[in-house]
Amino acid sequence: MCGGCVGTEYPERCGRRDLVLLSNRAAGLHGGEEIVTYDHLCRSCHHLIARHEYTFSVVDDYQEYTMLCLLCGRAEDSISILPDDPRQMTPLF
């Protein structure tokens, strides 16, 4: 990977969108978890900048999402599959 194409390694979130090419996209299931990977390529010289990995799984009553990429950063999220998220409800007493 070329460090010259990456301004900040593993940023919290992408602040701006740089034009890069995507290559070698692969998707599959591994132990009940959906995993999608692809490569970011420099649009000028087509060398590998970073490998992007995105995962999705269902744990108990929640959909879990994670992303890890040298260029895009890292992130995770959890969303309830129930109509009302129990974590967002206020106690009645």
Side-chain angles (χ1 to χ4, degrees):
M1 287 186 237
C2 174
C5 293
V6 179
T8 303
E9 293 184 4
Y10 300 106
E12 288 299 314
R13 286 282 193 174
C14 290
R16 62 174 196 177
R17 294 184 182 254
D18 292 326
L19 294 176
V20 294
L21 302 174
L22 303 179
S23 174
N24 298 326
R25 186 182 187 283
L29 292 174
H30 186 265
E33 185 173 71
E34 180 182 358
I35 301 173
V36 177
T37 59
Y38 55 87
D39 296 335
H40 289 291
L41 303 179
C42 177
R43 86 177 159 164
S44 299
C45 65
H46 297 269
H47 74 274
L48 177 66
I49 299 171
R51 181 160 192 103
H52 188 104
E53 181 177 290
Y54 170 82
T55 63
F56 168 80
S57 62
V58 176
V59 178
D60 297 326
D61 292 333
Y62 296 92
Q63 295 177 339
E64 304 283 334
Y65 301 88
T66 63
M67 177 193 68
L68 180 63
C69 177
L70 178 69
L71 186 64
C72 299
R74 58 183 107 195
E76 56 186 42
D77 196 11
S78 178
I79 300 171
S80 176
I81 60 175
L82 302 174
D84 296 313
D85 189 342
R87 296 176 298 190
Q88 304 297 323
M89 299 178 77
T90 56
L92 297 175
F93 46 94

